[in-house]
Amino acid sequence: MKLPIDMCTITLEYDQNSALARLKLAQLLATGLFQKREEESAKPTIEEIEEHRKLREAMLEHSRKSMAPIIARYL
């Protein structure tokens, strides 16, 4: 019976113009111990954008009302 393997994720940053860095990365991947995974783009949906806009507008409106007396005091 094979047990499921818990995979960990690491993120590497390197100079893509460095031949040595590219060589070492290729050697690391060639061992078969590591897998390259493309990062998934987390673009918001239209519904999420609209919800964010509504929340932002509500927060700004509340902020204007709650800050008005303080601002007026210093004008």
Side-chain angles (χ1 to χ4, degrees):
M1 179 176 159
K2 210 172 192 185
L3 297 175
I5 299 173
D6 289 329
M7 299 296 284
C8 297
T9 300
I10 60 170
T11 303
L12 300 174
E13 292 183 17
Y14 62 96
D15 180 359
Q16 67 182 3
N17 297 318
S18 169
L20 180 59
R22 289 193 317 268
L23 174 65
K24 292 296 181 181
L25 181 57
Q27 289 173 340
L28 187 65
L29 292 171
T31 65
L33 297 172
F34 301 93
Q35 299 172 353
K36 183 177 179 182
R37 185 177 73 193
E38 297 298 324
E39 188 172 324
E40 297 173 8
S41 176
K43 292 185 179 181
T45 64
I46 293 174
E47 293 82 14
E48 291 171 329
I49 293 171
E50 182 62 21
E51 182 66 22
H52 180 266
R53 186 189 63 74
K54 288 178 183 178
L55 288 171
R56 185 186 68 221
E57 288 176 1
M59 185 274 306
L60 289 173
E61 184 62 30
H62 183 281
S63 177
R64 286 186 205 106
K65 290 177 183 176
S66 64
M67 291 298 294
I70 296 168
I71 294 170
R73 185 182 325 152
Y74 293 101
L75 290 178

